Amino acid sequence: MDEHRPKSHQKYLEWTLGRIIQWAGTIGPQCAKVVEKILQDRPHPEMGFRSCLGIIRLGKAVGNARLEAACRRALHFDACSYSSLKSILQKQLETQPLEPEPPLPSPTHENLRGGPYYN
């Protein structure tokens, strides 16, 4: 029945939603949330299988702890995709704090007028 599918698509038939989500849960709760979000955001969940399987490959390459930290960052910034996770891991951003650094204080100088000048 599935012989009509291209060879590149046939290998995904052994994966199911349950199996992918279960695998992600073995990495950690953040990874499971990312995978669930990817699958929910597609018109058909199967359209997210390639992204999820790519995340599996990332996890095998970098380890569970790094992938889980990258997933936490991706969820925080609503950037749940394979490409975002890959970028986070390549740039080692999973080690950075999630909250932005506070802005630097404005310099004071006699030539700076400030907001009240324009009222």
Side-chain angles (χ1 to χ4, degrees):
M1 176 173 220
D2 293 314
E3 299 82 29
H4 70 281
R5 295 179 188 239
K7 293 272 186 212
S8 61
H9 292 191
Q10 289 179 9
K11 65 181 176 185
Y12 299 113
L13 295 176
E14 64 190 50
W15 287 90
T16 63
L17 287 173
R19 184 174 175 199
I20 289 174
I21 293 170
Q22 180 183 7
W23 164 84
T26 64
I27 299 299
Q30 305 300 319
C31 187
K33 287 178 186 176
V34 166
V35 166
E36 287 174 2
K37 183 161 178 41
I38 288 171
L39 295 174
Q40 289 172 357
D41 288 349
R42 304 296 192 282
H44 301 285
E46 293 80 11
M47 296 171 85
F49 279 18
R50 288 187 70 182
S51 293
C52 294
L53 294 175
I55 293 169
I56 290 173
R57 285 190 307 276
L58 288 175
K60 289 179 181 178
V62 301
N64 292 355
R66 282 194 68 201
L67 181 59
E68 180 71 359
C71 288
R72 184 178 305 107
R73 185 171 192 84
L75 284 166
H76 180 78
F77 291 105
D78 195 26
C80 297
S81 68
Y82 166 79
S83 58
S84 293
L85 284 168
K86 183 178 176 183
S87 177
I88 289 168
L89 291 166
Q90 284 177 336
K91 297 175 183 175
Q92 298 184 357
L93 295 175
E94 76 277 6
T95 61
Q96 300 298 313
L98 293 176
E99 296 302 319
E101 305 242 346
L104 295 174
S106 295
T108 55
H109 190 275
E110 61 189 52
N111 291 338
L112 294 177
R113 298 179 185 141
Y117 175 84
Y118 296 98
N119 288 335

